[in-house]
């Protein structure tokens, strides 16, 4: 599975009762994510990819694509790719 | 600092109230919680307060409060660690501990304060706090004050909780925090199973029983009695301003914990103690529960069911609940305000919940039928609800 899809699937699993998520989904406007949802998303991503994320790292994300970029860009994955 | 800038940042978004021409908040109540209440001078049916057992204006409770005032005056003007710790206070601590079946108790001015003050006494940055996604803001704020790692779990979802617990390795301490009755939904936590999971993964359970104490269990002792949780070694908090019909918040648990909080919980140590009238009022309510709970509970359930049936017949989307709470799923904040206003215009006071009190677009209108409502009043509420539903 592509890393993007894995991220979307992980986020969808903790946002119940929400519309279908795409890379362009806005966390606030489309998915109505509040601060606890955001923590839940970070936890789910930490578990899925066996990484540690701090809240501050994700303070400025607006869309799902931003999350993908963060995960790729911040070297959360060895060598910049997902350990899949 | 520019004062104009300062004050201009303090603006409240009242656009919804303006569009609706109606603000449901801070409605002025001109009476006590009697069979009918006066709101802005109009007689109304109270389906909003948390006066589950109808004891807030009970004559015996009023009398007990008045006796206490006669003996002690209205306040001891001191915190519990100083002059606030009167014999009534000490006796009530014991009585509450006995009531919920735990070793010891401290009593704070409110449960908001109890939940805010508890966590930073017991947890820190090396710890993990796992918390139900829908818990009350007082718990969230308390939890956030610790600097601990926070992991929310899906509401009442044991599988999700266990998954998180399984992966919670390397923390100094792990806590699992939830409520007994989630008051916006009326849902009840599977707390017995949560306690078992905590035992399996060596985590410390913390329960806020604010809407369970005086309501759940065969003698009203709350969630621990309801779910037959024997030998509970976790932490317990509850508000004394709902079924217990006074005000204040309690934290109960093992002696070691409570003794520590007595000296280190600044929300207790530095805040004026509950006043004699309230202490005596709570004590009287506990006595009434002790002798009359089964009759009162039967009335409570009976009234709740009548309202629930009316809501179903009126075509409302209502959450079926094991707690004496009727929660209508209204969705958007606009729809929530509209229903709340319709009820208000027809003479029923209800409670609207919009974000951030609930997740966005999961608005609710809550109706609690207190035991203090007469059958006539319930009949009238039923008729109004059906009429609104069919209009
Ligand atoms: C679950 C829960 N915890 C705590 C509180 C706060 O309790 P208190 O009103 O005693 O401050 C409330 C509501 O008021 C509540 O619903």
């Amino acid at each position: 599975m592509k890393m993007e899809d894995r991220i979307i699937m992980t986020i969808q699993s903790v946002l119940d009762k929400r519309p279908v998520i795409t890379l362009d989904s806005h966390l606030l406007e489309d998915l109505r994510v509040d601060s606890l949802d955001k923590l839940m998303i970070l936890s789910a991503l930490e578990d899925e990819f066996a990484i540690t994320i701090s809240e501050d790292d994700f303070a400025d994300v607006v869309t799902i694509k931003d999350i993908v970029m963060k995960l790729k860009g911040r070297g959360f994955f060895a060598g910049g790719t997902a350990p899949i | 600092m520019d004062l104009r800038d300062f004050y201009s940042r303090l603006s409240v978004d009242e656009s919804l109230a303006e569009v609706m021409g109606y603000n449901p908040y801070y409605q002025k109540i001109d009476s006590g919680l009697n069979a009918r209440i006066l709101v802005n001078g109009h007689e109304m049916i109270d389906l909003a307060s948390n006066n589950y057992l109808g004891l807030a204006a009970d004559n015996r409770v009023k009398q007990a409060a008045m006796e206490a005032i006669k003996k002690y005056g209205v306040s001891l003007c001191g915190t519990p660690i100083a002059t606030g710790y009167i014999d009534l206070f000490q006796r009530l601590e014991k009585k509450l501990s006995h009531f919920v079946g735990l070793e010891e108790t401290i009593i704070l001015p409110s449960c908001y304060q109890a939940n805010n003050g508890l966590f930073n006494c017991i947890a820190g940055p090396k710890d993990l706090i796992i918390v139900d996604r829908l818990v009350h803001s007082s718990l969230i704020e308390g939890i956030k004050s610790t600097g601990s790692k926070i992991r929310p779990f899906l509401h009442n979802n044991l599988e999700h909780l266990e998954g998180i617990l399984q992966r919670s390795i390397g923390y100094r301490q792990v806590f699992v925090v939830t409520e007994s009755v989630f008051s916006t939904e009326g849902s009840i936590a599977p707390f017995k199973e949560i306690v078992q999971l905590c035992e399996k993964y060596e985590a410390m359970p913390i329960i806020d029983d604010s809407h369970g104490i005086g309501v759940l269990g065969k003698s009203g002792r709350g969630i621990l009695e309801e779910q037959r949780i024997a030998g509970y070694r976790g932490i317990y908090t509850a508000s004394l301003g709902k079924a217990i019909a006074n005000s204040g918040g309690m934290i109960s648990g093992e002696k070691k914990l409570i003794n520590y909080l007595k000296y280190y919980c600044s929300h207790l140590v530095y805040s004026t103690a509950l006043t004699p009238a309230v202490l005596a009022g709570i004590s009287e309510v506990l006595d009434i529960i002790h002798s009359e709970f089964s009759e009162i509970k039967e009335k409570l359930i009976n009234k709740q069911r009548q309202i629930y049936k009316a809501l179903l017949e009126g075509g409302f989307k209502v959450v079926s609940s094991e707690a004496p709470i009727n929660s209508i799923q209204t969705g958007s904040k606009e729809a929530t305000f509209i229903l709340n206003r319709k009820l208000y215009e027809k003479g029923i006071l209800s409670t609207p919940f919009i974000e951030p009190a609930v997740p966005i677009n999961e608005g609710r209108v809550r109706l609690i039928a207190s035991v203090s409502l007469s059958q006539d009043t319930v009949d009238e509420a039923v008729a109004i609800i059906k009429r609104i539903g069919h209009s």
Side-chain angles (χ1 to χ4, degrees):
Chain A
M1 194 190 296
K2 265 179 36 197
M3 184 181 151
E4 280 82 350
D5 295 334
R6 222 171 124 192
I7 291 174
I8 288 177
M9 231 180 67
T10 305
I11 296 175
Q12 190 94 57
S13 76
V14 289
L15 295 183
D16 48 350
K17 298 185 238 159
R18 247 43 86 90
V20 173
I21 298 173
T22 69
L23 279 180
D24 295 323
S25 301
H26 275 243
L27 293 179
L28 195 63
E29 284 155 34
D30 302 325
L31 303 176
R32 303 292 187 156
V33 163
D34 63 18
S35 69
L36 273 195
D37 287 328
K38 208 161 168 182
L39 280 177
M40 201 129 83
I41 290 174
L42 298 190
S43 302
L45 291 170
E46 287 187 324
D47 289 341
E48 176 67 17
F49 295 107
I51 51 177
T52 306
I53 308 172
S54 94
E55 258 182 90
D56 296 344
D57 289 329
F58 278 68
D60 57 347
V61 298
V62 178
T63 64
I64 299 291
K65 203 185 286 162
D66 294 340
I67 294 182
V68 173
M69 301 301 280
K70 283 266 181 207
L71 290 177
K72 284 184 170 169
R74 288 279 177 98
F76 278 114
F77 306 117
T81 52
I84 316 176
Chain B
M1 179 168 77
D2 185 325
L3 278 188
R4 248 180 326 175
D5 284 353
F6 171 73
Y7 287 111
S8 72
R9 276 190 283 275
L10 301 181
S11 69
V12 176
D13 178 6
E14 288 176 299
S15 53
L16 185 57
E18 276 159 23
V19 172
M20 309 284 295
Y22 166 76
N23 184 344
Y25 304 117
Y26 293 99
Q27 298 277 6
K28 182 170 61 71
I29 310 288
D30 303 306
S31 70
L33 298 178
N34 306 314
R36 298 285 173 124
I37 58 168
L38 286 177
V39 185
N40 295 315
H42 301 291
E43 208 175 77
M44 293 193 70
I45 301 170
D46 167 31
L47 295 184
S49 76
N50 301 305
N51 183 24
Y52 291 101
L53 307 183
L55 296 174
D58 183 281
N59 281 333
R60 292 163 293 180
V61 182
K62 285 188 199 171
Q63 189 62 35
M66 287 186 289
E67 298 291 330
I69 290 178
K70 277 189 205 145
K71 180 165 177 196
Y72 299 92
V74 290
S75 173
L76 273 295
C77 303
T79 76
I81 209 167
T83 56
Y85 198 63
I86 50 178
D87 56 346
L88 265 184
F89 200 109
Q90 191 187 45
R91 279 205 303 275
L92 187 60
E93 285 176 338
K94 291 211 166 68
K95 204 163 173 173
L96 284 167
S97 304
H98 181 71
F99 186 68
V100 296
L102 295 171
E103 244 173 51
E104 292 207 354
T105 296
I106 47 171
I107 308 168
L108 293 95
S110 76
C111 189
Y112 205 102
Q113 215 162 306
N115 289 342
N116 265 205
L118 169 66
F119 289 92
N120 66 14
C121 297
I122 57 172
K126 291 184 187 148
D127 302 327
L128 168 67
I129 304 181
I130 308 175
V131 55
D132 187 288
R133 176 158 188 359
L134 292 189
V135 299
H136 193 258
S137 105
S138 53
L139 292 163
I140 301 287
E141 278 182 22
I143 290 168
K144 281 189 171 164
S145 74
T146 60
S148 304
K149 176 90 177 171
I150 305 169
R151 293 192 144 206
F153 64 97
L154 292 167
H155 177 52
N156 279 350
N157 187 323
L158 289 170
E159 215 177 302
H160 193 211
L161 170 62
E162 180 157 20
I164 296 175
L165 279 166
Q166 271 165 355
R167 291 185 291 269
S168 299
I169 304 155
Y171 294 98
R172 184 183 63 154
Q173 316 178 103
V174 178
F175 299 90
V176 177
V177 182
T178 191
E179 283 172 32
S180 55
V181 179
F182 287 79
S183 72
T184 57
E185 298 282 315
S187 50
I188 299 181
F191 192 54
K192 193 178 178 103
E193 289 76 13
I194 290 177
V195 171
Q196 284 162 354
L197 283 178
C198 285
E199 279 163 10
K200 182 168 167 192
Y201 294 96
E202 296 185 330
M204 169 68 75
I206 301 179
I207 184 90
D208 175 339
D209 197 23
S210 289
H211 288 268
I213 190 169
V215 174
L216 299 181
K218 76 172 190 322
S219 45
R221 290 160 193 261
I223 186 74
L224 300 177
E225 183 185 46
E226 169 83 14
Q227 299 190 352
R228 297 196 181 87
I229 301 169
Y232 180 62
R233 300 203 60 191
I235 302 173
Y236 175 99
T237 72
S239 172
L240 304 168
K242 301 180 192 297
I244 306 300
N246 279 270
S247 70
M250 63 189 281
I251 304 179
S252 305
E254 295 199 2
K255 191 179 164 89
K256 196 98 204 255
L257 165 82
I258 298 303
N259 195 45
Y260 184 82
L261 294 175
K262 272 185 168 169
Y263 290 92
Y264 291 102
C265 180
S266 47
H267 295 61
L268 172 79
V269 172
Y270 299 119
S271 191
T272 301
L274 280 190
T275 58
V278 172
L279 296 168
I282 295 168
S283 181
E284 182 64 25
V285 166
L286 295 178
D287 289 345
I288 296 173
I289 291 176
H290 182 70
S291 53
E292 297 173 14
F293 184 71
S294 45
E295 287 154 57
I296 302 179
K297 178 76 187 259
E298 207 179 299
K299 287 186 197 155
L300 179 64
I301 297 293
N302 178 285
K303 289 179 205 299
Q304 187 243 341
R305 295 230 170 103
Q306 294 182 59
I307 301 290
Y308 179 68
K309 244 180 83 200
L311 288 167
L312 286 184
E313 284 175 32
F316 291 99
K317 226 169 128 189
V318 44
V319 189
S320 100
S321 166
E322 287 157 59
I325 285 174
N326 290 305
S327 176
I328 308 167
Q329 295 174 312
T330 40
S332 71
K333 55 186 180 200
E334 290 80 7
T336 306
F337 265 37
I338 289 173
L339 179 59
N340 172 259
R341 185 181 66 186
K342 277 189 189 161
L343 287 162
Y344 180 83
E345 286 168 353
K346 300 290 180 220
I348 293 179
L349 197 66
S350 63
T351 311
F353 291 98
I354 61 172
E355 64 254 24
V358 287
I360 296 168
N361 274 338
E362 291 186 33
R364 300 275 186 271
V365 170
R366 183 179 74 195
L367 306 173
I368 294 176
S370 158
V371 171
S372 62
L373 301 179
S374 65
Q375 188 53 45
D376 284 354
T377 314
V378 175
D379 289 343
E380 195 181 328
V382 161
I384 293 170
I385 289 166
K386 287 194 204 162
R387 235 180 295 136
I388 292 177
H390 294 309
S391 65

